[in-house]
């Protein structure tokens, strides 16, 4: 079964021009330090581990590997936080700015590969409307539990 997932990855890799830039790369994001928090808004802060940053067919993408049975919305939100952290820690003129994100799902049972690429605009929406909501919900749950 595991060999099926490996074969699916190799099939994807061999069908694209891929240059790996980073693997298992730690990122840090703080909305206040990034200048993204407005006065009175909660600060969003996290550390994450990006599976991979690669130049795929000439475009830099933040990539997350999955081995579940499919691709789910919450996975998009997770990767949007990685691209936000990655790009925030680079100047806007930096040649390493990511232009999108990708989920690579390799089903270990079937060997099928599900590959979903999302634009930078999609990543911004996923971060602003998905990740932030989940993050702030978790903060509020902790606040309520401490009362």
């Amino acid at each position: 079964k595991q060999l099926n997932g490996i074969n699916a990855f190799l099939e994807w890799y061999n069908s694209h021009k891929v240059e790996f830039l980073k693997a298992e790369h730690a990122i840090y994001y703080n909305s206040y330090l990034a200048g993204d928090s407005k006065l009175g808004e909660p600060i969003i802060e996290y550390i994450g581990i990006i599976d991979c940053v690669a130049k795929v067919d000439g475009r830099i993408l933040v990539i997350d590997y999955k081995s579940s049975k499919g691709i789910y919305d919450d996975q998009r939100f997770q990767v949007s936080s990685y691209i936000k952290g990655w790009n925030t820690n680079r100047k806007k003129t930096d040649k390493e700015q990511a232009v999108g994100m990708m989920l690579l799902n390799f089903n270990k049972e079937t060997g099928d590969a599900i590959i979903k690429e999302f634009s930078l605009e999609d990543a911004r929406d996923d971060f602003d409307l998905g990740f932030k909501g989940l993050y702030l919900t978790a903060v509020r749950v902790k606040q309520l539990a401490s009362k």
Side-chain angles (χ1 to χ4, degrees):
K1 290 181 181 181
Q2 293 168 338
L3 186 57
N4 289 336
I6 292 168
N7 286 334
F9 174 81
L10 291 174
E11 184 179 323
W12 169 79
Y13 177 81
N14 289 326
S15 64
H16 297 277
K17 183 178 177 188
V18 181
E19 176 188 350
F20 294 103
L21 303 175
K22 299 282 182 183
E24 295 296 315
H25 181 73
I27 53 108
Y28 171 74
Y29 175 79
N30 178 300
S31 61
Y32 176 75
L33 296 176
D36 295 335
S37 290
K38 296 177 184 167
L39 188 60
E41 288 183 344
I43 294 172
I44 294 179
E45 179 179 48
Y46 57 86
I47 295 171
I49 304 292
I50 297 172
D51 285 344
C52 175
V53 178
K55 191 178 284 189
V56 179
D57 300 327
R59 298 167 296 114
I60 295 180
L61 302 174
V62 171
I63 300 171
D64 201 46
Y65 304 124
K66 299 294 182 191
S67 59
S68 57
K69 291 183 180 179
I71 292 178
Y72 306 100
D73 290 341
D74 62 329
Q75 295 169 339
R76 287 178 60 159
F77 304 152
Q78 175 193 4
V79 184
S80 74
S81 73
Y82 296 161
I83 193 171
K84 179 71 170 179
W86 174 265
N87 281 348
T88 297
N89 290 304
R90 276 145 194 80
K91 296 177 183 174
K92 292 187 190 233
T93 58
D94 191 330
K95 292 179 182 174
E96 286 193 347
Q97 280 269 321
V99 298
M101 61 185 194
M102 179 181 283
L103 287 164
L104 291 176
N105 176 280
F106 306 109
N107 188 309
K108 289 186 270 190
E109 293 181 17
T110 66
D112 293 336
I114 302 170
I115 301 165
K116 297 278 185 168
E117 186 176 329
F118 305 95
S119 69
L120 188 57
E121 292 75 24
D122 285 336
R124 286 181 185 134
D125 287 346
D126 287 346
F127 182 81
D128 290 340
L129 302 173
F131 179 82
K132 278 185 183 179
L134 294 171
Y135 179 93
L136 294 172
T137 297
V139 168
R140 184 61 179 150
V141 167
K142 285 181 186 176
Q143 290 173 343
L144 294 172
S146 68
K147 288 187 176 189

